[in-house]
Amino acid sequence: GTRYDQGTSMSTPVVAGTVALMRQYFEEGWYPTGKKHSAHKMSPSGALLKAVILNGAQPLKGLQTKEGSTMQVADYDESTGFGRINLLTSLPLDEANSIKALVFDRKYVFRGETQSLTFHVDTSDGCDADTVSATLVWTDPPSATGCNHCLINDLDLYMEKMGSSQRLYPNGRDDRESLNNAERIRVPVSNGDEYKISVYGQNLLSSSQSYALVITGCIVEGSAPAVVNNPTLQPIPEPTNHPLASPSSAPTTQQPTRSPSTVTEEPSEAPIIVNTLAPIHPTSSPTKAPHTASPTMTPTRQPTTLAPTSPPHSDMPKSLSTNFSGGIASYGNMFDLVAKKDVSITGFSIHIASNALEIFEVYTRDGTHVNFSRRPTAWTFQGSTILFGKGENVATAVPDNVFAPINISASMTKGIYITITNPRMKYSIGTGTGNISEENSDVVLLEGIGKAYAFKNTYEDRIWNGVVYYSVSSIFETAHPTDDDEFEGVMNITSPSSSPSRTDEQVTESTFVASSHEHHQHNYRSSSNILEDPT
């Protein structure tokens, strides 16, 4: 006979097994064709796997009670959520279904930025899906203790049918979603329909947020072909991407009590006003209001068109670690990395003297940091995130996918600026800026300087405490993000402090341990005057 049972003990193993198959699907190269291809292998993020499984979930016909009766349910209600998982409606599989998919993984959207994609419905090749489904998922940073229904970084998903003023909202709502970090739009479609889908960085505590987006159906990227007088179909030009009307960027009442305004020296955020259907220009990017005599940072951003993720070239991860002896604490460090081989920097761990919530930022520049420590316009903003410090003498890992891989060609130098917004970054006193701190067969890490936030006071001859994670490759290839995700960091600065003090750098009771590489004679110090920015 059969037995009726329910609960997470039944559903969890089914979902876990399904997700394992989805991960295998991507890692073996089945996307995007539905056929296995070694050149298409890619490593999906957790957010992507969640987006795929929610995107393909199907409505339930009803809910069976323990008494055997059936009750009606509705999409997104407390009984069904996003629905019943179904792999055949989630991913293309040759000879098993006819759907197509567009996948966007590890994309980055900045605060106040809109990223858009136009696609059309085409059933001429036998595709029989009568709906288009799109799901946005992101891994939100941890919220403050005791905060219920809090999104730290709130993104919005919208869809518009071209030629119509109707805007479609996610999760069965008739307005924006502000409680969940998973948003799905599903709409019935006909052949030739054209839509624009947009992801908007609505209300972010950090300056950017990575996300995954999946779109499935009988879809083709770009505008629908125009029918002319003869039977031949001629493509029309791509339409210009326009932003949607911008909701207020002011923090909502659902935000945690800790806000950017309570973080030391974190500039307050100015509201963003963007006219409906007007292009986003760099001047309409959100601007952080400056404090007196300190720089304000406004990364320049062009309107962004989403590009589907392509399978990446995979390299084994490696690392180079410094000591964690500490001895000094301030906001951050600048230092140089010199590549012996072609390398891609994929992550960092840092040394934070607290067990508190911190805002992390990373900037880079081609060439040495020397003589550029107070020139924000010479640096490119790579990304930021929120993390919890692990305390002294312990590596605090920066979460994955905060920034795109930082490529350094063999024999080239890359300046690195890593900072938090409180004076709790631990590092050590060095022997001289440009001396070797650590090295291996792939990369050299040089001694640098300590910095107050952001681009302010400079403290010479400092050793960064941390770990650099990287891969070695003869050809730089990456799928997250694509060229559309690269943003040049450009800052507007006011006059620097005329008489900077050393009070931002604090000597701690930690025992100082000198670098084990003091005996190296080779020095990468620039011949330029390294004291151009006096302390």
Side-chain angles (χ1 to χ4, degrees):
T2 59
R3 173 187 172 186
Y4 172 83
D5 214 335
Q6 66 177 353
T8 55
S9 295
M10 282 76 244
S11 61
T12 300
V14 174
V15 173
T18 302
V19 172
L21 290 173
M22 286 166 31
R23 180 173 290 279
Q24 181 182 4
Y25 177 95
F26 287 107
E27 290 186 345
E28 290 186 349
W30 293 81
Y31 172 79
T33 63
K35 298 179 181 180
K36 187 176 180 179
H37 198 303
S38 60
H40 294 168
K41 294 179 180 181
M42 60 180 287
S43 178
S45 68
L48 174 59
L49 296 176
K50 183 176 179 181
V52 170
I53 202 169
L54 296 181
N55 192 63
Q58 298 299 299
L60 298 179
K61 295 181 179 179
L63 181 66
Q64 186 178 12
T65 66
K66 288 185 176 181
E67 292 75 23
S69 61
T70 302
M71 59 181 290
Q72 291 185 338
V73 294
D75 290 346
Y76 309 107
D77 69 13
E78 62 181 10
S79 298
T80 65
F82 286 84
R84 174 177 52 86
I85 60 175
N86 187 340
L87 276 176
L88 286 178
T89 55
S90 300
L91 292 166
L93 191 61
D94 188 46
E95 298 183 358
N97 59 27
S98 61
I99 64 171
K100 300 180 180 68
L102 293 175
V103 167
F104 307 82
D105 196 16
R106 298 179 174 95
K107 297 294 179 180
Y108 293 82
V109 64
F110 284 80
R111 185 190 302 125
E113 181 193 13
T114 300
Q115 297 182 356
S116 300
L117 172 80
T118 300
F119 66 89
H120 67 276
V121 177
D122 184 3
T123 60
S124 61
D125 60 354
C127 180
D128 57 3
D130 58 1
T131 63
V132 166
S133 187
T135 301
L136 169 71
V137 171
W138 67 98
T139 302
D140 200 43
S143 64
T145 303
C147 183
N148 296 321
H149 305 296
C150 293
L151 280 179
I152 300 299
N153 290 337
D154 186 7
L155 307 184
D156 284 337
L157 180 69
Y158 305 98
M159 190 183 292
E160 292 178 307
K161 185 175 183 180
M162 305 303 284
S164 169
S165 60
Q166 182 184 13
R167 174 180 290 177
L168 304 174
Y169 294 94
N171 300 351
R173 300 175 59 89
D174 57 5
D175 58 5
R176 59 176 298 270
E177 169 67 85
S178 61
L179 295 177
N180 296 297
N181 64 335
E183 302 183 6
R184 185 181 73 183
I185 297 175
R186 182 169 290 164
V187 58
V189 294
S190 301
N191 187 45
D193 287 351
E194 186 175 332
Y195 287 87
K196 182 174 75 171
I197 189 166
S198 299
V199 176
Y200 175 64
Q202 201 277 335
N203 193 17
L204 278 62
L205 180 57
S206 58
S207 61
S208 64
Q209 172 66 49
S210 64
Y211 67 87
L213 175 67
V214 180
I215 312 171
T216 56
C218 299
I219 54 174
V220 178
E221 186 180 0
S223 300
V227 179
V228 294
N229 293 332
N230 58 60
T232 304
L233 295 178
Q234 300 291 339
I236 60 175
E238 279 281 318
T240 301
N241 288 317
H242 299 294
L244 302 172
S246 297
S248 170
S249 63
T252 65
T253 57
Q254 296 168 341
Q255 288 292 323
T257 55
R258 180 185 177 92
S259 65
S261 60
T262 64
V263 180
T264 304
E265 295 195 8
E266 175 72 0
S268 60
E269 181 183 350
I272 308 154
I273 302 175
V274 180
N275 295 326
T276 304
L277 301 179
I280 297 178
H281 298 291
T283 54
S284 64
S285 300
T287 302
K288 295 181 178 181
H291 289 290
T292 303
S294 64
T296 62
M297 297 174 291
T298 308
T300 297
R301 301 189 292 275
Q302 300 294 332
T304 302
T305 301
L306 291 173
T309 298
S310 302
H313 175 77
S314 179
D315 293 303
M316 293 297 294
K318 306 178 76 172
S319 65
L320 177 64
S321 178
T322 71
N323 65 68
F324 279 74
S325 60
I328 297 292
S330 189
Y331 293 83
N333 294 97
M334 286 183 183
F335 56 91
D336 290 346
L337 289 174
V338 181
K340 298 181 179 180
K341 303 174 183 177
D342 291 343
V343 297
S344 293
I345 309 302
T346 57
F348 296 100
S349 288
I350 57 178
H351 191 185
I352 299 179
S354 74
N355 299 101
L357 192 71
E358 303 288 355
I359 297 177
F360 167 90
E361 298 174 1
V362 59
Y363 303 79
T364 64
R365 71 176 313 275
D366 293 334
T368 180
H369 74 280
V370 175
N371 291 333
F372 296 96
S373 65
R374 289 198 181 172
R375 300 182 187 178
T377 55
W379 293 81
T380 298
F381 173 77
Q382 296 292 348
S384 69
T385 190
I386 301 166
L387 48 77
F388 282 99
K390 298 298 184 181
E392 293 194 34
N393 306 314
V394 178
T396 297
V398 176
D400 292 340
N401 310 319
V402 171
F403 55 88
I406 300 167
N407 298 326
I408 314 176
S409 299
S411 76
M412 300 303 291
T413 298
K414 182 77 73 171
I416 308 292
Y417 177 29
I418 290 175
T419 186
I420 57 177
T421 57
N422 285 308
R424 293 194 280 258
M425 181 87 79
K426 296 298 293 292
Y427 52 88
S428 306
I429 297 175
T431 59
T433 300
N435 289 341
I436 294 176
S437 172
E438 303 289 341
E439 68 174 324
N440 58 21
S441 60
D442 304 319
V443 68
V444 181
L445 191 155
L446 305 181
E447 292 187 19
I449 57 178
K451 291 295 293 181
Y453 186 80
F455 297 94
K456 290 176 67 179
N457 298 4
T458 297
Y459 313 106
E460 299 289 347
D461 307 335
R462 298 296 187 257
I463 299 173
W464 176 66
N465 288 186
V467 183
V468 179
Y469 301 96
Y470 67 94
S471 61
V472 177
S473 176
S474 58
I475 300 176
F476 293 131
E477 298 181 48
T478 181
H480 46 82
T482 62
D483 290 341
D484 287 329
D485 297 291
E486 297 177 358
F487 302 93
E488 181 182 4
V490 178
M491 295 77 171
N492 299 319
I493 61 173
T494 58
S495 300
S497 301
S498 57
S499 56
S501 67
R502 303 183 68 91
T503 57
D504 288 325
E505 186 179 43
Q506 302 164 356
V507 178
T508 69
E509 296 179 356
S510 301
T511 302
F512 165 66
V513 178
S515 168
S516 60
H517 291 271
E518 290 182 4
H519 62 278
H520 280 276
Q521 298 299 314
H522 188 44
N523 189 304
Y524 290 84
R525 183 191 303 268
S526 168
S527 60
S528 302
N529 178 13
I530 66 170
L531 296 177
E532 180 178 278
D533 300 320
T535 58

